[in-house]
Amino acid sequence: MESQMTAKPGTSVELGPYDVAEDVRGIKNIFVNVYFVGEAQQGGKWVLVDAGTPSGADPIRQKARELFGENNPPQAIVLTHGHFDHAGSLESLLKEWGDVPIYAHPLELPYLQGKSHYPPPDPAVGGGAMAYLSWMFPNSPYDFGDQVRPFPADGTIPELPGWRVIHTPGHAPGHVSLFRESDRSLIAGDAFTNTNQNSAFAVMTQKEELHGPPAYFTFDWVASKRSIQELAALNPTAAGTGHGKAIRGIQLPQLLEDLIHNFENREVPKGGRYVKQPAHTDEQGIVDMPPPVSYHVARAIGIGFIVGTVLYLVGSSRKK
């Protein structure tokens, strides 16, 4: 599936593979995307959406300087959710940017204010090396204190005029997406993805195909489908997802409809901890969870993948 290159009428700006619109630029940080919302100009006002992996601070700073100039922190930081690959570099960024307001949904605050661990990842879902390795992914909380605040009750963000917040749970309790009606641009977070995030091969090649959220970190599959249905009803024509290249063009609504139609058969795992029963959470964190499912096989496959990769890299280096 090829992304279409678009720009605002009357301009000739070419968009990169992770850009949603001329004023919504994206970069890939290892295997997750980060978005910069604002007109690219020296000293311009802008907002950061998500903060990538723990190693993502330097690439984010570099892109911000390129787009908006030196010594120009964002007006705000918006988190679609607080998983380690979406909030990982935030602590490092704040050391330079200072008291920048951070926005998140109230149901995400326990995991961003040190109150609760996330529901743990589920390697038993299978589907590829990323899923098999997920038992190693951190799910402990961050603690940004009162610097992180809930979105305004009306679903708007003062620093992001023209956009509205849509609660899209399923992958995370307080997962949100952002939508701009004027050009039907969508920042979907992990509500859906444009690559098979469960597969290490798909992640490395960035093969474009619409999927649901990363299965290994999704705690409520019924809510996840309902969230995609809500986003599809907006009829977006450009979307940036947490994983995979941006999708631009009139084919997006149909791709979403196909995803919804095939969701149970193609996206919901055949087995796993949260498939038949979701985890329950509230504004204090986890309330209850289904019992864990054995993932000894997944662990063995994951370790085998790591060992095989290391041996391959060592062998390749010796041939040079």
Side-chain angles (χ1 to χ4, degrees), residues 77-79 102-106 108-109 112 148-151 174 176:
I77 298 169
V78 174
L79 297 178
I102 307 165
Y103 290 99
H105 191 277
E108 288 296 289
L109 295 187
L112 296 167
V148 59
R149 60 194 68 177
F151 294 111
V176 301

Side-chain angles (χ1 to χ4, degrees), residues 32-99:
V32 67
N33 302 330
V34 175
Y35 294 95
F36 305 78
V37 183
E39 184 178 349
Q41 59 181 356
Q42 298 295 301
K45 293 182 178 180
W46 65 286
V47 169
L48 179 69
V49 179
D50 286 338
T53 66
S55 64
D58 284 344
I60 291 172
R61 292 189 190 102
Q62 180 179 345
K63 186 66 174 181
R65 287 193 294 266
E66 173 189 322
L67 293 173
F68 309 109
E70 297 281 351
N71 302 314
N72 184 18
Q75 299 292 301
I77 298 169
V78 174
L79 297 178
T80 61
H81 58 302
H83 283 159
F84 81 100
D85 55 337
H86 289 258
S89 70
L90 194 50
E91 184 176 357
S92 177
L93 292 170
L94 294 176
K95 289 178 181 178
E96 178 180 335
W97 290 343
D99 193 25

